[in-house]
Amino acid sequence: MTAAATVGSVITFASAIAIGTTHSTDDSAHKAGLYSALLGTGCGALFGLMYTARGEQKKHLEAPRRELANPSTENTQWKDWRNFLVIRKVKESEEITSFYLQPEDRADIPGYQPGQFLTIKLDIPGQPRPVIRTYSLSDYPEPCNYYRLSIKREPAPKGINVPPGLASNFMHDQIHEGSTISAKPPGGKFVLDIHKSLPAVLISNGVGITPMISMAKAATRLNQNRPLWFIHGARDGRFHAFREEVLAIAQQNPNLMLHFAYSRPREEDQGHYHSTGYVDIDLIQSLVHQEAEYFLCGSPPFMDALRQGLKQAGVPESRVFFEMFTKSSQGIAEKPAVEPSNRKAGGIEVVFAQSSRTLPWQTDADNLLEFAEANDLNPPYSCRQGICGTCQCKLLAGEVTYQETPTAEVEEGSVVICISRPKSSKVVLDL
């Protein structure tokens, strides 16, 4: 409209000057001026439409790339804990409930990369210290004005003397709309690169669907040219969270292929799933017939089996990405608590600087976190697998060795103590 009005006005003004200076009284001159103004208006409108379309395309293609490259630029000051209000609580399935969080201070919150998680702190009655947990962000709002966590209620495992999930049950039973929860900024390396062209296969079971929704939504909004498979396993319809939401995403993305597998479908589930049984490597190979990247999230046995199957199928490890926040209950139950002992390891010393304690390293300590706990220190932790980074602290002196490569982003000069052991004869930690 602006271009049409501008060009039309300029030509009308020029025609008026021409007619006025020539003192023409011929009707043809006036008609020529009128037709020129109308033609100019039409050309201006056409130019304006073309310019606007190119601007919108450039906005959608380039702006998201800049946002993903640095998702935390909106709020560079938020480093530590920040209070959030629960503005909505929604039951998604028999086991999973979603919590929508907005900052208590009503200030902006940073965006995040699809697949990242949020670390939260809960003050649970009867616990000697706050309970810290990490949960995948299960949505991809644009603009990012809330965070959504979708949490499974963890019951006590059958046949094992392990209590039910402390944090998940507290969230389901005690956290309601209006409750306050402390959280750290989004983090994690389990992310989908939106701008790649190589097909991506998102595979999940149970609550492992949560980061996959974020990935599918981001890909649908920002790069529909990338082929995408969304493969999810559930027991039956009662335990299948976000079914309608995922179906809505697929309707918007012609390159998103869905497959739902129910292990024990009910009669009323007919028409809502694609196959009966579990999601395994045979199912994956029957669906995906080209090179791809694979993203896995679900129960530990589920992911162990898929990783092994993909390896045997010749998929390079560099194309297999996974996220897990818990070890198998069997492994946890059988692992004995670490107690201080006199078995020293070659004169190695561990110094806890803040606590002013120097202790001999003990061979029966699996890692520095367990060693600290065995000596009455209470450093923060969550996943105990190097994934969330909650136990990260400054390494003031010495060297450590990692039992496995940490998934968490480790700041320079810091160490994740839940999967590390002393490497040098003296290690000084800022604890």
Side-chain angles (χ1 to χ4, degrees):
M1 290 177 64
T2 301
T6 301
V7 177
S9 299
V10 169
I11 294 179
T12 301
F13 186 65
S15 300
I17 293 177
I19 294 173
T21 55
T22 59
H23 303 289
S24 175
T25 59
D26 190 357
D27 287 344
S28 62
H30 292 81
K31 289 181 179 179
L34 175 62
Y35 294 152
S36 297
L38 292 175
L39 180 63
T41 301
C43 292
L46 181 61
F47 172 79
L49 287 172
M50 294 174 60
Y51 183 82
T52 302
R54 291 184 62 186
E56 287 296 319
Q57 182 181 25
K58 184 176 181 181
K59 175 183 176 182
H60 284 290
L61 290 178
E62 296 184 359
R65 184 182 295 271
R66 290 194 298 271
E67 178 184 343
L68 286 174
N70 188 7
S72 299
T73 54
E74 297 175 29
N75 191 339
T76 57
Q77 300 302 314
W78 179 26
K79 301 289 185 183
D80 205 358
W81 297 108
R82 184 177 177 186
N83 285 340
F84 282 76
L85 290 175
V86 178
I87 59 170
R88 287 183 65 199
K89 180 179 179 181
V90 180
K91 184 177 181 179
E92 309 288 1
S93 72
E94 287 294 316
E95 298 177 320
I96 298 173
T97 296
S98 288
F99 301 83
Y100 291 75
L101 311 179
Q102 284 188 338
E104 192 176 55
D105 57 16
R106 300 183 180 276
D108 291 339
I109 55 177
Y112 53 90
Q113 299 184 67
Q116 289 190 307
F117 59 76
L118 200 68
T119 302
I120 64 172
K121 180 170 63 175
L122 302 172
D123 293 317
I124 300 180
Q127 297 302 309
R129 55 181 173 174
V131 175
I132 299 173
R133 292 291 185 269
T134 53
Y135 296 105
S136 294
L137 289 153
S138 64
D139 204 350
Y140 195 77
E142 197 178 59
C144 184
N145 51 21
Y146 67 87
Y147 295 142
R148 184 175 76 178
L149 302 179
S150 301
I151 300 172
K152 175 187 175 184
R153 181 193 291 272
E154 296 290 350
K158 296 180 180 179
I160 301 175
N161 187 23
V162 176
L166 178 65
S168 67
N169 282 273
F170 179 78
M171 290 288 294
H172 278 249
D173 296 334
Q174 303 300 327
I175 298 298
H176 306 288
E177 294 180 3
S179 297
T180 301
I181 295 176
S182 296
K184 284 190 174 183
K189 296 180 181 179
F190 180 67
V191 298
L192 177 71
D193 186 343
I194 299 300
H195 304 290
K196 282 188 177 181
S197 58
L198 186 67
V201 185
L202 314 180
I203 311 172
S204 60
N205 75 344
V207 75
I209 195 174
T210 51
M212 306 310 185
I213 296 174
S214 177
M215 293 180 181
K217 282 191 173 183
T220 297
R221 289 175 181 166
L222 306 178
N223 183 13
Q224 291 193 11
N225 292 324
R226 185 177 191 182
L228 207 66
W229 279 266
F230 194 107
I231 304 171
H232 180 68
R235 183 189 308 175
D236 56 47
R238 296 170 301 171
F239 297 89
H240 186 179
F242 305 108
R243 182 176 63 198
E244 301 304 322
E245 188 168 332
V246 174
L247 289 172
I249 299 171
Q251 289 179 350
Q252 303 171 30
N253 188 348
N255 279 324
L256 174 59
M257 283 70 74
L258 292 182
H259 190 95
F260 300 145
Y262 284 6
S263 59
R264 284 174 278 176
R266 304 166 301 160
E267 184 177 349
E268 53 265 46
D269 292 327
Q270 291 297 323
H272 296 301
Y273 63 96
H274 303 90
S275 67
T276 301
Y278 295 96
V279 175
D280 55 21
I281 189 61
D282 291 335
L283 176 63
I284 302 304
Q285 289 181 315
S286 70
L287 298 172
V288 184
H289 304 108
Q290 61 192 109
E291 292 187 357
E293 289 184 334
Y294 295 84
F295 295 80
L296 318 176
C297 192
S299 62
F302 167 81
M303 288 196 291
D304 290 343
L306 283 176
R307 289 171 59 196
Q308 184 64 27
L310 290 171
K311 183 178 181 180
Q312 292 176 353
V315 178
E317 290 187 5
S318 60
R319 290 185 179 175
V320 179
F321 309 91
F322 61 95
E323 184 95 289
M324 68 171 68
F325 293 103
T326 58
K327 296 180 181 179
S328 65
S329 300
Q330 186 70 33
I332 295 173
E334 292 180 351
K335 190 170 187 178
V338 176
E339 298 292 343
S341 75
N342 295 321
R343 295 197 296 274
K344 301 179 182 180
I348 296 177
E349 289 185 335
V350 179
V351 179
F352 298 104
Q354 291 187 23
S355 306
S356 301
R357 299 180 66 184
T358 300
L359 301 168
W361 173 252
Q362 298 151 5
T363 58
D364 52 7
D366 186 55
N367 51 62
L368 285 165
L369 173 60
E370 290 191 2
F371 178 69
E373 292 174 328
N375 287 281
D376 300 323
L377 274 75
N378 295 306
Y381 71 89
S382 181
C383 70
R384 305 183 80 100
Q385 297 185 82
I387 296 173
C388 67
T390 302
C391 66
Q392 184 173 170
C393 72
K394 291 291 184 181
L395 179 64
L396 303 179
E399 294 180 276
V400 301
T401 181
Y402 282 116
Q403 297 163 305
E404 55 188 275
T405 303
T407 304
E409 297 181 8
V410 184
E411 297 178 2
E412 186 176 356
S414 296
V415 60
V416 177
I417 62 174
C418 68
I419 56 170
S420 59
R421 297 167 62 91
K423 183 177 180 181
S424 57
S425 60
K426 186 176 184 179
V427 170
V428 183
L429 299 174
D430 189 24
L431 288 174

